[in-house]
Amino acid sequence: METKMKLYPELSLNLRSLVIFRNLLSDPVVARLLALCEAERGNITALVTRYAGFARALYASTAPAPGEDAAVSGNLGAYLLRVLSEDENFYLLRRVGGCAPDPELEALLDRELDFFDQVALFSSEKVRAALGWNGALPDWKSGDAHIRETYRRRMGEIGTRGYGIFAKHHIFVLRGNAVAPVRNPDPTALSQLRGYEQERGEIVRNTEALLNGKPAANILLYGDAGTGKSSTVKAVANEYKARGLRLIELKKDQLGMIPWLLDQLGNNPLKFILFIDDLSFNCDDDNFSALKAVLEGSVAAKAPNLVVYATSNRRHLVKESFSDRAGDEIHFSDTMEELNSLSARFGLTVTFAKPNRDGYLDILMDLARQYGVTTPEDSLKRGAEVYAIERGGRSPRVAKQYIELVKSRE
């Protein structure tokens, strides 16, 4: 009897009977849809409140990102397809883990996807008519979303699209014991970087080997500050995100999390760069052993879908003082040799040296074109040389800082 009092009892029961996509019951939009379906008929206050709450959640969750089609705004079918594609459920994990298809699970998947195709047709006009109130309430978009067909197709593209948080973002950091997305990552593109073409070419070729399932090396990007080491790694991640590349940045004190990350990512069909910026160690640093394990490819650390890219201004990575050299270990020289040979454990070391005058000015003029600077070339070059002297030397970073300064004054 209580069920008959609900606004949409059948839709409510179907939502509550989800198995594969049960995670969606905690989704803010789906949860409010369920609340609307279970509102009591005749209770106009509750009906209107839940209608408005659902509409608000849908519009808030479908605000188009920069460059995204505005048609996604308030589109129920588009939203459902997105959250279904991003859902990390047991069916998906079985598939990416290499389990053989289970006919019963496949049939269940089709039933649930067919159900969501019906949910996508949930019309604001019909709901308003069922409320029995003619006040002003917002519409949302509904219609045939082809959810079953699209989801099945995307399952075949999971090696490049990913799933879970990796389907929505491509740059991540570690927060506590969890991988968290960077929602506004550095947008630097490879096409925006000038100079160091040979050095970047080595990193690009290695990354493409990783994406193509070939052996790929861990890379140490060594060189002077401001030469574009970090920008290169981030630009590579941006360039290849559509091919299934993801980047996770770790701080030095998080290197102990690497074994856990390898366990989490080892069966993921995507490819990953573990990025460590400005890497260096003290002689007694406990984080040394964690990085050493993954670089040496120990049994626990081996992961063919993952590489480590680290940047450093120090070739030997270990900060060494005179007191360190006067240590009292019996085999002290062996200890120092092990520490200082860490850089040799990277399969590839790419050196970014400071540019000479011509290289610096070439980078400068290319940046001037990118920024639309109108200052005459001779004046620009003279000012850039003075600016470099004041900043301690030439580098791409110094050139960019100067161009931005000039542009701000034009």
Side-chain angles (χ1 to χ4, degrees), residues 367-375 407 410:
L367 287 169
R369 286 187 290 272
Q370 289 184 36
Y371 278 77
V373 170
T374 58
T375 300
K407 183 63 178 178
E410 286 188 342

Side-chain angles (χ1 to χ4, degrees), residues 292-307:
K292 177 185 171 185
V294 68
L295 295 179
E296 290 184 338
S298 67
V299 173
K302 191 171 183 179
N305 65 333
L306 182 148
V307 291

Side-chain angles (χ1 to χ4, degrees), residues 7-8 11 33 36-37 47-48 50-56 58-59 73-77 118-143:
L7 185 64
Y8 288 102
L11 184 54
L33 173 61
L36 174 59
C37 292
L47 288 168
V48 169
R50 295 186 185 188
Y51 181 105
F54 167 69
R56 181 188 182 282
L58 179 60
Y59 273 97
S73 180
N75 189 315
L76 179 57
Q118 295 303 309
V119 176
L121 300 173
F122 192 66
S123 162
S124 54
E125 293 84 358
K126 291 181 180 178
V127 178
R128 283 203 314 276
L131 296 186
W133 185 64
N134 295 323
L137 286 171
D139 285 321
W140 61 78
K141 301 181 182 74
S142 58

Side-chain angles (χ1 to χ4, degrees), residues 221-333:
L221 292 81
Y222 158 75
D224 297 296
T227 50
K229 303 181 296 295
S230 299
S231 296
T232 294
V233 176
K234 293 172 183 177
V236 165
N238 293 336
E239 183 77 14
Y240 292 105
K241 62 182 179 182
R243 289 181 56 184
L245 183 65
R246 303 293 183 264
L247 181 146
I248 303 175
E249 184 169 0
L250 287 78
K251 299 182 184 301
K252 192 185 74 171
D253 60 3
Q254 296 174 322
L255 297 184
M257 295 290 290
I258 288 179
W260 174 82
L261 273 173
L262 296 175
D263 286 342
Q264 298 297 309
L265 304 176
N267 289 328
N268 198 300
L270 297 171
K271 303 298 190 293
F272 294 88
I273 294 172
L274 296 188
F275 176 46
I276 310 161
D277 200 15
D278 195 20
L279 179 64
S280 64
F281 295 100
N282 294 316
C283 290
D284 58 352
D285 200 322
D286 292 337
N287 293 301
F288 173 84
S289 59
L291 181 58
K292 177 185 171 185
V294 68
L295 295 179
E296 290 184 338
S298 67
V299 173
K302 191 171 183 179
N305 65 333
L306 182 148
V307 291
V308 175
Y309 287 0
T311 70
S312 180
N313 299 336
R314 303 177 62 88
R315 179 59 181 266
H316 292 297
L317 302 180
V318 180
K319 296 178 182 178
E320 183 182 356
S321 67
F322 285 110
S323 61
D324 293 328
R325 290 182 177 272
D328 57 5
E329 287 187 35
I330 296 175
H331 300 292
F332 178 74
S333 61

Side-chain angles (χ1 to χ4, degrees), residues 41 57 82-83 100 112 157 180 227 242 261 321 338 349 357 389:
R41 283 186 177 272
R82 191 188 85 197
V83 294
E112 294 193 0
E157 302 168 351
T227 50
L261 273 173
S321 67
E338 180 183 14
T349 297
R357 181 179 184 276
I389 292 171

Side-chain angles (χ1 to χ4, degrees), residues 65-221:
E68 190 175 19
D69 188 352
V72 302
S73 180
N75 189 315
L76 179 57
Y79 178 77
L80 290 172
L81 184 56
R82 191 188 85 197
V83 294
L84 287 165
S85 299
E86 295 171 1
D87 182 51
E88 188 171 332
N89 54 67
F90 71 90
Y91 169 85
L92 188 64
L93 295 177
R94 283 171 57 91
R95 285 289 304 271
V96 299
C99 293
D102 183 323
E104 291 186 5
L105 277 181
E106 296 297 327
L108 177 60
L109 177 70
D110 284 340
R111 286 198 300 274
E112 294 193 0
L113 292 174
D114 286 341
F115 165 66
F116 279 109
D117 262 323
Q118 295 303 309
V119 176
L121 300 173
F122 192 66
S123 162
S124 54
E125 293 84 358
K126 291 181 180 178
V127 178
R128 283 203 314 276
L131 296 186
W133 185 64
N134 295 323
L137 286 171
D139 285 321
W140 61 78
K141 301 181 182 74
S142 58
D144 193 348
H146 307 287
I147 287 177
R148 176 179 172 183
E149 172 189 342
T150 307
Y151 186 89
R152 284 291 193 181
R153 185 180 70 249
R154 289 189 177 180
M155 281 295 297
E157 302 168 351
I158 202 167
T160 55
R161 285 182 173 270
Y163 60 87
I165 59 172
F166 298 116
K168 189 175 182 181
H169 305 277
H170 74 289
I171 304 290
F172 303 85
V173 294
L174 278 183
R175 292 199 182 109
N177 293 326
V179 177
V182 175
R183 300 186 185 281
N184 295 292
D186 183 341
T188 300
L190 284 174
S191 61
Q192 295 175 306
L193 302 177
R194 287 295 180 271
Y196 304 94
E197 281 79 9
Q198 180 177 344
E199 291 84 352
R200 268 193 295 278
E202 291 190 64
I203 297 161
V204 166
R205 285 190 290 274
N206 190 74
T207 305
E208 289 182 341
L210 173 70
L211 292 169
N212 292 329
K214 298 178 181 179
N218 299 311
I219 301 180
L220 173 64
L221 292 81

